[in-house]
Structure formats: C-alpha cells, structure tokens
Amino acid sequence: MASSSSLLPQVSITVEPDLQPIYPTPTQLSHLLSPNVGLSPSQKADLVSHCLTRACVFGDFSLLSYLLSEPQAQPHIDLGKQDEDGLGLLSVTILGFGSESERDVEREECVRLLIAEGTDVNQPDHAGWGALHHAALLAPPTLVSHLLTRGSSPFAVTRRNLTALDIVTAHSPLPGREDVRVLLEEAMREKGWTGGRMEERRRLQEKQKQRMQTQRALQDQLTSTLGIEFRWWGDSDSEIDLNEVSDIEDEDSEILDVFTPSPDYTSMLVFSPHALPNIFQSLIIDFRPALRNTEPANALYMLARFACLKCGEDWLDDLITGATDAIEDTFFNHGDDLTCLVFWLYNLTVWLHLMRCDEALKETCEMLGSFSLIEEILNSVFVFIIRFAERRIDQMLDAALLDYTPLSSEFDAVQFESEWSFLRSFGAGKKKPALPPAINTLPPASPIMKSGTSTPNASSTPARPTTPPNTAAGKFASLRNPFGRGRPPTSVSLGGSLSDASSMTSPQEMTSFMTALQTFLRLANVNPALTTQLWSQVMYWAACEMFNRVLTRKKYLCRSRAVQISMNISVVEEWIDSMDLPKGVGAHFAPVKDLLSWLQCLSSINEFSNLIATIQTMRHINPLQMRRAVRDYKYEVNEGRMTEECVQYLAQLQKDWERHRVKLGVEALRKEINERERDDSSPPLNSNSSFVESIPPSPNPDEIRAQRSIDSLFDRVSEKSSWEPPSPPEALGELLDSRHMLPLFLPSDPRFLGAVPVKQNPSYQGSHHTSMSSNVGSHKRSGSRVRAAMSWKLPSRKLREVEIRTLQWIDGAPSAARWYRSIEVDDEDEEKPPSYSLGDSDTEVGQLRATTHFTPLTRSRSVARSRGRMNSTAGSPLAEVSHSRIPS
C-alpha cells in the first residue's frame, strides 16, 4: 500500500489568484501585490492594467488613488493605455458621466487625478475623438474648463473634421450645453478664432443677403437711369456677381477641343431649309433679351456646324444670310431699346467668336464671306448703342459742360466791353434763382428719354441717304477695310435750346448717366475692346460738338468761360480714370483743351515771339480756328489786346492754310478719279461664280497701328494706358466733323472675341445711393492701376454650355411644350412651311424690306446680305430699295 501510494503524482490544491476581478478593491489588490502571493511580474502587470481600467470605468477614486500611489503597482502603471477602440483612460472615465449621476463628482476627481499624474489630454481614439470631444458632450462645464486650462486643444478635429464646438452646436446648440459652448468659444477666440461653423454659415447668409440687396438696388438704379425693363435681369431670386464674372476658368481653356468640337452630332443642331423662317422667328425675332443669355449665339453656331459639315455651302450661306437679316430687322425695329441692342451686340460677338475659333468652319466661312457679314451686323448694332449714348448726353452737354459754372461766385463781377451795366444788373437778378448747386450737392437725375422721343435735330420723316461713290454692291466689309459708319448731317447747335430745368444740370449728372451705361455694359459681359472703342467714339463726338459750339457761340469766347469749361472737362477725364478705361479715350478732348488755352492766353500776347511760342504748343488747332477765336473774342473790361503785328501774322497764317487746304482737296480729287478709272478698267467678274471674291485693299499704317493697339489690350504684360484711338481726319476748316465715325477694330486673335470684363466699376462699390450722386472727381486712380493691364477673362467653356431648353427655339412653338413649357398653338391658324424656292423667298424678303420703318440717326442696312437671296431680283425695284440702305 505504501509503495503504491508513493507512485501517484502530487496534485497542487493551492487556489490561483483572480487576476481580473470584476469589482476590485484596494484591500484585495494589496494582498495580490504582496510578495507572499508570489505573482510573476507579467501577472502583476496584467492585474494592475485591468484594475486601472476598471477604476476608470466605474469612477472609483479610492482604487485609482491606491494604484497611483502604491509602490508595488507603480512600476506597472501605463497612463497611455488604450482599448481596442483606441479609447484612452481619460476618455473611458469621461464616457461614464450620466450613467450614475451620484458618482459624477467622484468621476470628475478621477479625471483631475489622471491629468495631474501626466495623462495626455489630447490623445485621440481611432475615430479622432479626444477627451475634450467627449467632455464637451457629457462632462460638466467645470471639467471642460479644467481640460482647457491643462492644455487640451479646442481646435483638435475628429476624422470627420469636427471640433468640440461643432459637436456641441451641430445645426443648433444641444440643450443644456450652452455653458460648454461659451467656454469653448472663449477659449478659441483667445487663440484667434473668428467664428464657428454655424456662425460662419450665418455670416455667409448675411453677406449673401447684403449682396442681393446691393444687386437689387443696382438693378433699380440702372433701370431708372437707362429706362430699361426690369425683366431684363431675369429671376429676381438669382444672384448676379457684381464684382467679378462668375464663370472664372483656369488658363487651360485654350485647349483645341474647346474651340473645335468633334465632328459629330453632339455639337450640331439638325434643321431643314424650309424650317429656317420658323427658326428665325422663334430664335431671333420673338426672342426675349435677357442678361448674359447666349442661347441664340450657341444655337446659330450649332446650326452652322450642321450646315457646313453635313450639308453644303448653300445651306450655310442661306442660314447665315437669313440669320443676319433677321437680327438686323430686330434691332432696327427696336432702336430705342438698350437691352435689345446690348443683347444682340453680346450674342453677335459670341457667335463670331465661336465661328472664327472653329477650324472646321473657318475655310468655308471665309470663302463665303460669312465672317464679314457677321462683322457688318455687329458694327451696325454697335453704332445704334453709340447713338443712344449720344442722344442722352446731347440733352445735358450744353448745361453740364458749357454753361455750368463751378466757381460762379468768382466770376460774378466780370464785366465785358460793349455791355450796358444796367442791363447786366437786370440779367444777373434773373439768373440768381437758377444758379446751379454746389458740386457736392447733386440735383435729381434728368428725366428718362422715352421710347420714340426724337432728337433735337431729327426730322419726323428722315429720308434715306444715297449710295456713296466708293461703295460697290455685293462687296463685303472686312476688318482690314474699316467699317464705314456714316451719320446724317447735323448742325453745329445739335443740342438746340435747353429748358430752364436743364440749366441746373452739372457735370456729375452727366457722368452719372455714363457710369450707369458703363456698368450696364460690364454686367452684360460686353467685350472690353468694344466698350473701350464705344466710349472713344462718344468722347470724340462730345469733343467735336463742344469745340464747334464754343467756336461759333460768342458767349463762350472769353477767358472766364474758358476756365469754367476746362474745369468741367476735367470732371469727365477723371471719370475716364475711375472707370479703368484707357487714357486714350479722353485724348479726343485735345482740340477743345487747346482752344480753351488759346482763349485764356490770346489777350495777354503782346510780343511776336510769345505768339510764335504759343502757336507751336497748340498742335491740335489750325490757323483758321485761331483766327476765328481772335476775331469773335469777347473782351472783358480793362483786358489787354493782341498787338497789331500778331494779328497780321495770324491773318497771313490763315491765307497760307487756305492755300494748303485747296492743294489737299485737289490731290484727293485726283486720287478719286484715278480709283474710278482703275475700277472701270478692271476685267468683269465671272458670272458663273457662286460668290463674289473681292481682294481687300492693303491696310495703311494708321490701320495697322490701330489694330495693334486693340490687340495690346489683351496682352497681360502690356499697360492699358498704351492704347491709342484711331486718328480722326485732320480738320482743314474751322469746325470739326462730329459726324465722322472712327473705324471699329476687333481683336486679331478670335479667342479674344469671347473675352469678358472681370472688374467692377469703383463707383458702384458700396451703397448705390452714393454711387450715382458722388463726385466723380473724388475717385483717383492709383499709380498701380494706371500701369496695370486691362482685366479680362476667357470663359470659353461656359460660353459653349447649351441647355435642353434651347431646342424649343429650333423646334418652334408646336414642339416647345415637349421641352420647356406649355404653349397653346392653334392648328387652324398655323401657316404651312414655305417651299424652299429662291423665287418665293425673294418676293417675301423684298416685300418685307420695302415696308420696314427705319430708326433715324443710324446707319442703314447693307447691300451685301442681299447676295444670297436676291439674285433673281437684281434689277427689280425691290432690289433698288434694298441697295439704297447704305451708311448715311
């Protein structure tokens, strides 16, 4: 028995210690960590780690204090311990808030103890949440404040890019966490924070509301000043970027596939020839103009691609000829509607840009003369806008620039020779109530010119002008052969007599109208080159009219009036600078300024040497004009006079100049005769050719210089101040030719035809109440702005975006309901589409043109567009009516 029992293995009946107690206590933990138990170091580490986690989970401050102070446990303490979710000890402790509210105070002490022992307060878990994120959501404000004072960052973000403040506020502040929100906001503001997400959103909404209010105020101001309809602005809830064009693109917009799409039907609109009248009716004639709407331009471009690439030259020629005729009829019938004029100027520019940039259409369109045809229509509507501006400015020109006296008190005591003193006292007494206000107090705007109001010099039934000798039927205009844009003759006193109310007009009122028009053109995305040339032409006309009126009206031929007029002109020059226009726009005032300088100094010239030196400095007026000013000069009392020797020298200069003028006239007549003989001796054109080929004349140096000047506006490194307008003809007589139209030049690079302005007028920044009535002279252009290049952008991809609703203009009214909106169409009244025959089409076109009413004071329709559809009526009276529409 003893031997058998000795062979059995010895079994240990010692109880293993519990290394993961559910509710550990300091007494139990003290026994397990004692040397008598005999735990290995790894077992002690597991025990301490487990008990530390349990102390944090239950918020047991006594157990946590024992672990952190017991010498046997300290070697095994790891304050950076994380669980499987990445939660640290601080986060685990904070997550227990709210489960047992009676232990929240003890739990908060546990957190403070862990922080005091050196636990990392910014330790994130796997989701990026730190102790502060959990505390902001669960802990009391006192603990949140303690974390912030102990280095917890309020800018720490989770993986979803949320700060602790974002978690508390969300879309709206969490109930009961307002104190925590305040603590977090204050801590963030101390470190440069400006607002949370919700505050930023509210700030953005407020800015958007202010922009909408500014936009509405600007629209109301432009509507009342220019007399346009409010529907032009489109949806009242849509926002228009007033400071910068919205469709900003990267510079990679010059990729070739942007300008020349692939030759498939995705970039075409299919049509049939007999449907063209309906297309033109819906797309052009009945189309309602809207701001920055390029649907007509894009639709005509896509129709042209289909006609050129899938059909033939005849289809393309009929399309472009018919479209230009319809566009011309549209703006001729709405010559007083500025929105219609600007809308078609913008769409014609975009259409020409799209056509010229497309390499697939370029060769065919050049052969057919399509580009010249579109350029000619663009030039016509350009003249209409110029005439609109001139008519409005002419109503204020005398009162604002010639009669307005900014320093009236200093010139009240001026007396003139041969003027009776007792009559002067009566006249002064009558003028006192009508004295203009001070410069800083502007009068109300002048009444808006209603549609159909005739200009002072326009007759009720203007006669159509005759064909100039140098105009040949069927010859297209081109950029190298500048567009001829004539005007009906105007007398010197174009403005006529003004009413008593207009005598209150100041230069600032005139510049307010010009500011409104310039802003309107920029908002409509009119090409900057066209805007620059438009104001150049307007300033040239105004300068010529001012020069002629000063020279022919004796009341202005005195030095006191010359000083006042010079001050008024300076207001216009400052306006040009404030609008970021090139300095050359105001160069047309040089003859007027020289004449005014001559009036101010002629009475003080008493030596022959002084006269010679003065004449050499005045290069913009001729001896005839100087002699006329001296002859009709209105001398003040006790004012000096020019010596007899100087007067005789001016008379001799006048005779020499008249001989020079006769010589130039003879040379011009000989040149014209030689050109006629050359045309008569040239061989006849081939009658079998389907189009007329004309060799454009070689450009002269002035045209080359003007074209380079326009191209320099789109040079990023070139200063816009280097732009110079085309030189007007030299004045051989006493008066300047205000009827002359400066040639219109388009950019040589067709890509720049799609350029749009990107900067807003300084006068319209801020409140609209001060923009229209502020003193324009206060806007000083800084040196950097003078040297800067013109601001523009190429929204090439945006211009080519076509929406599905464009199809309604191609399908016509019967199919519009399928695409856009319901339109009721009476099938009984619907006309059948006309047959595609040249004979029927010619008759209809001829009758339409014969009964159309033309807008006065503009150029007429061109002969060139009758080439494609009027061949069969070349010798008929209808053709003669069409050919009579030549520049007046």
Side-chain angles (χ1 to χ4, degrees), residues 261-270 298 301-302 305-306 310 800 802 807:
S262 57
D264 52 33
Y265 286 98
T266 58
S267 60
M268 302 178 189
L269 287 176
V270 180
N298 279 284
Y301 167 64
M302 299 175 73
R305 281 184 58 84
F306 170 74
K310 302 299 181 181
R800 288 161 174 77
V802 180
L807 294 177

Short mmCIF file of all heavy atoms in Angstrom, two decimals, residues 261-270 298 301-302 305-306 310 800 802 807:
data_model
loop_
_atom_site.label_atom_id
_atom_site.label_comp_id
_atom_site.label_asym_id
_atom_site.label_seq_id
_atom_site.Cartn_x
_atom_site.Cartn_y
_atom_site.Cartn_z
N PRO A 261 -14.98 71.46 -81.74
CA PRO A 261 -15.53 70.19 -81.22
C PRO A 261 -15.37 69.07 -82.24
O PRO A 261 -15.04 69.29 -83.42
CB PRO A 261 -17.00 70.52 -80.97
CG PRO A 261 -17.09 72.01 -80.95
CD PRO A 261 -16.00 72.49 -81.86
N SER A 262 -15.60 67.87 -81.78
CA SER A 262 -15.52 66.71 -82.67
C SER A 262 -16.65 66.77 -83.70
O SER A 262 -17.74 67.25 -83.41
CB SER A 262 -15.64 65.42 -81.85
OG SER A 262 -16.83 65.41 -81.10
N PRO A 263 -16.40 66.28 -84.91
CA PRO A 263 -17.41 66.39 -85.99
C PRO A 263 -18.52 65.36 -85.86
O PRO A 263 -18.71 64.50 -86.72
CB PRO A 263 -16.57 66.18 -87.25
CG PRO A 263 -15.45 65.31 -86.81
CD PRO A 263 -15.13 65.71 -85.39
N ASP A 264 -19.24 65.42 -84.78
CA ASP A 264 -20.38 64.53 -84.60
C ASP A 264 -21.60 65.36 -84.24
O ASP A 264 -21.53 66.58 -84.10
CB ASP A 264 -20.11 63.47 -83.52
CG ASP A 264 -19.62 64.09 -82.22
OD1 ASP A 264 -20.05 65.21 -81.90
OD2 ASP A 264 -18.79 63.47 -81.55
N TYR A 265 -22.72 64.70 -84.08
CA TYR A 265 -23.98 65.41 -83.88
C TYR A 265 -24.15 65.96 -82.47
O TYR A 265 -25.14 66.63 -82.20
CB TYR A 265 -25.16 64.50 -84.23
CG TYR A 265 -25.33 64.28 -85.71
CD1 TYR A 265 -24.81 63.14 -86.33
CD2 TYR A 265 -25.98 65.22 -86.50
CE1 TYR A 265 -24.95 62.94 -87.70
CE2 TYR A 265 -26.13 65.04 -87.86
CZ TYR A 265 -25.61 63.89 -88.47
OH TYR A 265 -25.75 63.71 -89.82
N THR A 266 -23.22 65.67 -81.58
CA THR A 266 -23.33 66.23 -80.23
C THR A 266 -23.11 67.74 -80.21
O THR A 266 -23.50 68.41 -79.25
CB THR A 266 -22.32 65.54 -79.30
OG1 THR A 266 -20.99 65.74 -79.82
CG2 THR A 266 -22.61 64.06 -79.20
N SER A 267 -22.46 68.27 -81.23
CA SER A 267 -22.20 69.70 -81.31
C SER A 267 -22.95 70.33 -82.48
O SER A 267 -22.52 71.36 -83.01
CB SER A 267 -20.70 69.97 -81.44
OG SER A 267 -20.19 69.35 -82.61
N MET A 268 -24.04 69.73 -82.91
CA MET A 268 -24.81 70.25 -84.04
C MET A 268 -26.29 70.27 -83.69
O MET A 268 -26.75 69.55 -82.80
CB MET A 268 -24.61 69.37 -85.29
CG MET A 268 -23.17 69.23 -85.75
SD MET A 268 -23.05 68.15 -87.19
CE MET A 268 -21.27 67.95 -87.31
N LEU A 269 -27.01 71.10 -84.44
CA LEU A 269 -28.47 71.12 -84.39
C LEU A 269 -28.97 70.91 -85.82
O LEU A 269 -28.64 71.68 -86.73
CB LEU A 269 -28.98 72.45 -83.84
CG LEU A 269 -28.80 72.67 -82.34
CD1 LEU A 269 -29.27 74.06 -81.94
CD2 LEU A 269 -29.54 71.62 -81.53
N VAL A 270 -29.75 69.87 -85.99
CA VAL A 270 -30.23 69.48 -87.32
C VAL A 270 -31.45 70.33 -87.68
O VAL A 270 -32.32 70.59 -86.84
CB VAL A 270 -30.56 67.98 -87.35
CG1 VAL A 270 -31.05 67.57 -88.73
CG2 VAL A 270 -29.33 67.16 -86.95
N ASN A 298 -25.24 80.35 -79.48
CA ASN A 298 -24.89 78.93 -79.48
C ASN A 298 -25.75 78.14 -80.46
O ASN A 298 -25.26 77.24 -81.15
CB ASN A 298 -25.04 78.35 -78.07
CG ASN A 298 -23.86 78.65 -77.19
OD1 ASN A 298 -22.80 78.03 -77.31
ND2 ASN A 298 -24.02 79.61 -76.30
N TYR A 301 -24.60 78.85 -83.99
CA TYR A 301 -23.31 78.19 -84.22
C TYR A 301 -23.49 76.70 -84.47
O TYR A 301 -22.88 76.13 -85.40
CB TYR A 301 -22.41 78.43 -83.02
CG TYR A 301 -21.18 77.55 -82.97
CD1 TYR A 301 -20.19 77.64 -83.95
CD2 TYR A 301 -21.00 76.62 -81.95
CE1 TYR A 301 -19.06 76.84 -83.91
CE2 TYR A 301 -19.88 75.82 -81.90
CZ TYR A 301 -18.91 75.93 -82.87
OH TYR A 301 -17.80 75.13 -82.83
N MET A 302 -24.33 76.04 -83.69
CA MET A 302 -24.55 74.61 -83.89
C MET A 302 -25.32 74.33 -85.18
O MET A 302 -25.08 73.31 -85.84
CB MET A 302 -25.29 74.04 -82.67
CG MET A 302 -24.52 74.18 -81.36
SD MET A 302 -25.44 73.66 -79.90
CE MET A 302 -25.42 71.90 -80.12
N ARG A 305 -22.69 74.53 -87.89
CA ARG A 305 -21.85 73.34 -87.96
C ARG A 305 -22.54 72.22 -88.74
O ARG A 305 -21.91 71.52 -89.54
CB ARG A 305 -21.49 72.86 -86.55
CG ARG A 305 -20.39 73.65 -85.89
CD ARG A 305 -20.02 73.06 -84.53
NE ARG A 305 -19.61 71.66 -84.64
CZ ARG A 305 -18.38 71.26 -84.96
NH1 ARG A 305 -17.44 72.15 -85.21
NH2 ARG A 305 -18.09 69.97 -85.02
N PHE A 306 -23.83 72.05 -88.50
CA PHE A 306 -24.55 71.03 -89.25
C PHE A 306 -24.61 71.37 -90.74
O PHE A 306 -24.39 70.51 -91.60
CB PHE A 306 -25.97 70.88 -88.69
CG PHE A 306 -26.87 70.03 -89.54
CD1 PHE A 306 -26.72 68.64 -89.57
CD2 PHE A 306 -27.86 70.60 -90.33
CE1 PHE A 306 -27.54 67.85 -90.35
CE2 PHE A 306 -28.68 69.82 -91.11
CZ PHE A 306 -28.52 68.43 -91.14
N LYS A 310 -22.29 68.68 -92.66
CA LYS A 310 -23.15 67.58 -93.08
C LYS A 310 -23.95 67.90 -94.35
O LYS A 310 -24.49 66.97 -94.95
CB LYS A 310 -24.13 67.21 -91.96
CG LYS A 310 -23.46 66.81 -90.66
CD LYS A 310 -22.57 65.58 -90.84
CE LYS A 310 -21.92 65.16 -89.52
NZ LYS A 310 -21.04 63.99 -89.68
N ARG A 800 -20.04 77.85 -74.25
CA ARG A 800 -20.49 76.74 -75.09
C ARG A 800 -21.49 75.83 -74.40
O ARG A 800 -21.87 74.80 -74.97
CB ARG A 800 -19.28 75.93 -75.55
CG ARG A 800 -18.46 76.67 -76.59
CD ARG A 800 -17.05 76.09 -76.70
NE ARG A 800 -16.32 76.70 -77.80
CZ ARG A 800 -15.78 77.91 -77.77
NH1 ARG A 800 -15.88 78.63 -76.67
NH2 ARG A 800 -15.12 78.40 -78.81
N VAL A 802 -24.90 74.49 -73.50
CA VAL A 802 -26.22 74.56 -74.12
C VAL A 802 -27.17 73.70 -73.30
O VAL A 802 -26.88 72.53 -73.02
CB VAL A 802 -26.18 74.08 -75.58
CG1 VAL A 802 -27.57 74.17 -76.20
CG2 VAL A 802 -25.19 74.91 -76.39
N LEU A 807 -33.66 73.70 -77.43
CA LEU A 807 -34.34 73.01 -78.53
C LEU A 807 -35.70 73.62 -78.84
O LEU A 807 -36.21 73.45 -79.95
CB LEU A 807 -34.50 71.53 -78.18
CG LEU A 807 -33.20 70.73 -78.09
CD1 LEU A 807 -33.49 69.30 -77.67
CD2 LEU A 807 -32.45 70.75 -79.41
#
